[in-house]
Amino acid sequence: MRQFLDFEKPVAELENKIDELRQMTDPEGVNIEEETARLSEKAEKHLRTIYAKLTPWQKVQVARHAQRPHAQDYINALVTDYTPLAGDRLFGDDKAVVGGMGRFDGTPVMVIGTERGSDLETRLQHNFGMARPEGYRKAQRLMTLAGQFGLPILTFIDTAGAWPGIDAEQRGQAEAIARSIATCFDAPVPLIATVIGEGGSGGAVALGAGDKVLMLEHAIYSVISPEACASILWRDPKQASTAAETLRLTAQDLKRLGLIDQIIPEPVGGAQRDPDAARKAVGKVLSETLKDLLPLAPARLKELRREKFLAMGREALH
């Protein structure tokens, strides 16, 4: 069953009417086919109008939509001969981070992603996509392995942030994130990061220091969640919509600021309305981007990657 967001109410009402018409056994002179076609057209028009002018706070809600495709969905759809790899070889296996080897468009690759889960059971299993230190050390291990075997790295980012629990702090959460970022910079192979939903704080940057950073049209990427920002600045989480505006967390804002490289268009109504189309769109852009990076030598890749992120800091100082 499709889940609707609050601002999608006009569309929800029309689609509910369409469902009711289709279930009618005695239409009493109503041409069901014509009426459903008319209502479907009207719903599509409403949807286009709504999604053409989403506010940053509405984009936050879309990015967090439970029915959006997650990291494992993209991996399953785009990577063949996938062999998952587990554990950090130091503490244990963190299921918030998934990854392994496979083939993308026939090219052997290493894929890594933060996985939220799709229902209560899997969300608990994956800790809602919030990784502990062993998750980031697992990612480091896979990136190092990719470098040894010359495998391009594809990362899929969808997390509210790193797990903030005491257990994570005791095991060195900050160090694990920092070293993960450093491992991204040192990778001697192409690294493409794609923000597919929510890119939250260091937990996202840990997998996001790539040669190319891509974002889905309605994804978000921010140093802090709007709710947390509102709690700090205004002592009021209800100011989250104002915080979302201030944080410049949308793909469009980040592209304009030069912090990401490309925006991947989503189906009308967001990736959650047509996951297959969203996965194909991501696959197409990844394929084009990877072809551009494969000819580059390892030293050149690392040089360009470092310069790219250093330039962001220099621009911010002007």
Side-chain angles (χ1 to χ4, degrees):
M1 183 179 292
R2 183 169 287 154
Q3 298 174 15
F4 292 93
L5 299 168
D6 289 342
F7 60 85
E8 295 177 320
K9 274 185 180 178
V11 179
E13 289 169 2
L14 287 169
E15 293 195 358
N16 287 335
K17 285 180 184 177
I18 292 168
D19 290 338
E20 288 171 9
L21 279 172
R22 286 175 176 160
Q23 291 170 15
M24 285 178 66
T25 54
D26 184 12
E28 295 181 358
V30 177
N31 188 321
I32 292 178
E33 190 173 331
E34 284 184 9
E35 186 63 13
T36 54
R38 186 185 69 81
L39 290 174
S40 294
E41 186 179 343
K42 190 175 180 181
E44 176 81 4
K45 186 178 178 181
H46 270 304
L47 201 61
R48 286 185 182 278
T49 302
I50 290 169
Y51 274 77
K53 52 182 183 181
L54 290 178
T55 66
W57 178 239
Q58 288 171 334
K59 280 186 178 283
V60 171
Q61 295 172 67
V62 174
R64 294 173 176 172
H65 198 292
Q67 293 178 322
R68 282 178 76 85
H70 298 134
Q72 195 66 62
D73 297 319
Y74 285 100
I75 292 170
N76 293 341
L78 301 176
V79 180
T80 57
D81 300 328
Y82 175 62
T83 302
L85 299 173
D88 66 344
R89 300 297 185 267
L90 292 169
F91 181 83
D93 184 42
D94 185 352
K95 296 188 185 302
V97 175
V98 297
M101 294 183 288
R103 293 181 184 274
F104 172 68
D105 271 358
T107 301
V109 296
M110 182 71 77
V111 289
I112 307 169
T114 42
E115 173 60 35
R116 285 176 178 264
S118 55
D119 55 31
L120 181 58
E121 182 180 351
T122 54
R123 284 172 195 152
L124 290 171
Q125 180 185 354
H126 294 288
N127 198 35
F128 298 86
M130 294 185 285
R132 294 177 168 86
E134 50 270 26
Y136 297 113
R137 290 175 182 134
K138 173 186 183 176
Q140 294 163 36
R141 185 173 77 85
L142 300 191
M143 286 189 275
T144 301
L145 195 63
Q148 291 171 346
F149 287 95
L151 304 177
I153 302 166
L154 308 178
T155 68
F156 297 96
I157 298 165
D158 186 16
T159 178
W163 177 246
I166 293 175
D167 57 335
E169 295 301 328
Q170 288 173 334
R171 294 199 292 276
Q173 184 74 293
E175 183 274 343
I177 291 171
R179 198 169 292 277
S180 187
I181 296 169
T183 305
C184 286
F185 283 128
D186 287 336
V189 293
L191 196 164
I192 306 171
T194 307
V195 183
I196 56 175
E198 186 175 11
S201 193
V205 180
L207 301 182
D211 301 293
K212 297 293 180 182
V213 179
L214 316 174
M215 275 184 79
L216 282 174
E217 181 181 359
H218 303 307
I220 60 169
Y221 200 4
S222 175
V223 69
I224 192 172
S225 73
E227 295 91 338
C229 177
S231 295
I232 293 169
L233 294 182
W234 296 288
R235 308 281 190 231
D236 183 6
K238 292 179 181 177
Q239 295 286 341
S241 60
T242 305
E245 294 272 356
T246 307
L247 285 167
R248 301 290 186 266
L249 45 63
T250 69
Q252 294 72 24
D253 283 331
L254 294 168
K255 180 69 170 69
R256 193 160 47 247
L257 292 168
L259 301 178
I260 65 166
D261 298 289
Q262 188 172 345
I263 298 172
I264 304 174
E266 295 190 28
V268 176
Q272 67 275 8
R273 286 187 75 90
D274 193 346
D276 287 339
R279 288 189 284 262
K280 286 176 184 175
V282 169
K284 181 175 182 293
V285 175
L286 280 176
S287 181
E288 294 167 353
T289 307
L290 187 57
K291 283 177 185 175
D292 292 338
L293 294 173
L294 282 174
L296 298 178
R300 183 62 175 158
L301 281 169
K302 291 199 277 188
E303 178 189 354
L304 291 174
R305 194 182 303 144
R306 287 171 179 268
E307 180 55 34
K308 170 186 170 177
F309 284 90
L310 287 170
M312 293 179 190
R314 285 196 294 267
E315 288 296 323
L317 293 174
H318 292 307

